[in-house]
Amino acid sequence: MAGRGGSETDAAGGPARHLPVLLAEVLYYLAPRDGGVYVDGTFGAGGYTRAILEAADTRVIAIDRDPNAIRDGQALVGASAGRLTLAHERFSRLDEVVEAEGTGLVDGVVLDIGVSSMQLDEGERGFSFRRDGPLDMRMSSEGPSAADLVARLAETDLANLIYRFGEERQSRAIARAIVAARAQAPIERTLQLAEIIARVVRSKPHEPHPATRSFQALRIAVNDELGELARALSAAERALKPGGRLVVVTFHSLEDRIVKNFLAHRAKASAGSRHMPALDGPAPSFRLVARGAVEAGDEETARNPRARSAKLRAAERTEAPAHPPGDLDRFLPPLPAADARSR
């Protein structure tokens, strides 16, 4: 994951380096300093990592579950004079990666959530409904693919998945169309699925592609992205030293809601009043340092359209112990009620 910037064209007409979204804001809230150790939990094309290394005499531990990102990042490792370590791992295990590196608690963690622009641009990865390729969507090339889910899930389960993770109100009609189509022939290509959905969901030229929400839902399910995010936030809580900063950039409402609710919960003191003492419970493990969500300005969104949906949230670790990780399900979206979806 990571590198969720857009891409521009260089002077020769080829693709320029991918642009990390909200880079200036990430650096402002992360506040890299000489001697600090920072975790980039979603390395991607290395945009944030590169900027952190350039901002001060820092060390970066960068993580990505995509083996292609690890492979392509070796040049940056070589140029970093020993200040960069790349780990092929899920970011939900970032605290274990930090422990294995023997650095002690770290000064900052940055997470850039969702599919990377490189993955979208590579049709063979199967993430894009605009490029033909195998219906895959696996970030780590392990486990069931999107084609497997489309082929195996019962109609009701498929509709629930599309509604829950894509917030698609026409999920039942889409699931019916998919089940009818797969009875005629296997659905194995991205454009094949996109065309099936487009026959059901109508959109105007200026609106998002009809398959946008369904593809998002399948990708999230294939990679357990929301569960991974909740576990990564908890892992960052355990890995950060007091005063360390957590900075998270998200790109859709489901992700942002998890981050917002997690940080609000972890920053909230036990309730009390002059009539009743504060209830026993974990002390706040974070202090919010950004007021609400920080969004990209007009100049950045004009340069990089993918920044339009980006939201940044930031918090600082307190002296309190990390909360037990057993409450993470409360931050995940619930299954829809039986009558909540359009028929």
Side-chain angles (χ1 to χ4, degrees), residues 240-246 285-289 314-318:
L240 283 163
K241 65 176 59 172
R245 295 285 182 89
L246 172 62
S285 57
F286 279 102
R287 178 181 67 85
L288 303 182
V289 296
E316 184 175 279
R317 192 70 172 81
T318 69

Side-chain angles (χ1 to χ4, degrees), residues 266 268-270 281-286 318 320-321 323:
R266 293 304 199 249
K268 184 178 181 181
S270 297
S285 57
F286 279 102
T318 69
H323 289 216

Side-chain angles (χ1 to χ4, degrees), residues 1-324:
M1 297 195 293
R4 280 113 194 120
S7 58
E8 292 186 336
T9 302
D10 64 20
R17 191 170 70 191
H18 289 265
L19 303 173
V21 171
L22 291 168
L23 178 58
E25 292 82 355
V26 165
L27 291 177
Y28 173 78
Y29 286 106
L30 196 64
R33 60 174 179 80
D34 289 349
V37 180
Y38 299 87
V39 174
D40 181 351
T42 46
F43 176 73
Y48 289 151
T49 288
R50 186 179 290 105
I52 295 167
L53 290 170
E54 293 173 352
D57 185 15
T58 58
R59 179 181 174 190
V60 176
I61 302 168
I63 301 168
D64 208 293
R65 67 194 289 187
D66 188 338
N68 292 351
I70 300 300
R71 178 200 65 205
D72 296 342
Q74 295 307 311
L76 186 57
V77 173
S80 69
R83 294 194 292 134
L84 171 61
T85 299
L86 270 182
H88 181 210
E89 187 54 270
R90 294 170 179 262
F91 70 167
S92 60
R93 302 180 65 181
L94 68 87
D95 57 329
E96 299 174 34
V97 174
V98 168
E99 184 177 3
E101 287 298 313
T103 62
L105 299 179
V106 299
D107 298 277
V109 174
V110 60
L111 305 174
D112 179 10
I113 309 305
V115 66
S116 76
S117 51
M118 297 85 62
Q119 289 164 335
L120 287 172
D121 291 344
E122 297 172 1
E124 64 272 14
R125 300 298 300 275
F127 288 99
S128 177
F129 45 76
R130 300 187 186 279
R131 300 172 186 271
D132 190 40
L135 190 59
D136 193 323
M137 301 193 189
R138 294 173 297 176
M139 292 180 179
S140 61
S141 302
E142 299 174 345
S145 67
D148 293 328
L149 295 186
V150 167
R152 298 174 184 173
L153 287 180
E155 182 178 322
T156 298
D157 294 334
L158 190 56
N160 279 343
L161 182 154
I162 294 170
Y163 183 84
R164 185 187 192 197
F165 295 139
E167 300 180 299
E168 172 59 75
R169 297 198 63 83
Q170 298 190 57
S171 61
R172 287 189 179 184
I174 293 169
R176 277 198 302 270
I178 290 173
V179 170
R182 76 188 186 191
Q184 303 300 315
I187 303 172
E188 299 176 338
R189 308 290 295 182
T190 53
L191 292 187
Q192 183 186 5
L193 177 60
E195 289 169 3
I196 293 167
I197 297 170
R199 290 197 292 266
V200 176
V201 181
R202 304 297 181 184
S203 65
K204 298 178 181 178
H206 65 280
E207 294 177 338
H209 190 284
T212 299
R213 293 180 181 274
S214 297
F215 269 61
Q216 171 187 297
L218 287 168
R219 191 201 78 224
I220 287 173
V222 164
N223 298 289
D224 186 24
E225 290 182 30
L226 301 186
E228 281 288 297
L229 172 56
R231 291 188 289 272
L233 295 171
S234 180
E237 181 184 23
R238 294 189 294 273
L240 283 163
K241 65 176 59 172
R245 295 285 182 89
L246 172 62
V247 180
V248 188
V249 178
T250 61
F251 288 84
H252 64 71
S253 60
L254 290 175
E255 298 167 345
D256 180 62
R257 197 173 304 136
I258 290 171
V259 178
K260 176 183 177 181
N261 291 341
F262 177 89
L263 293 179
H265 180 266
R266 293 304 199 249
K268 184 178 181 181
S270 297
S273 72
R274 63 191 179 93
H275 302 294
M276 184 179 293
L279 301 174
D280 290 336
S285 57
F286 279 102
R287 178 181 67 85
L288 303 182
V289 296
R291 282 194 165 207
V294 177
E295 300 182 6
D298 293 340
E299 182 179 344
E300 181 172 4
T301 56
R303 183 177 70 250
N304 182 2
R306 287 177 179 167
R308 290 174 187 155
S309 59
K311 292 185 177 181
L312 178 152
R313 296 186 186 272
E316 184 175 279
R317 192 70 172 81
T318 69
E319 297 273 354
H323 289 216

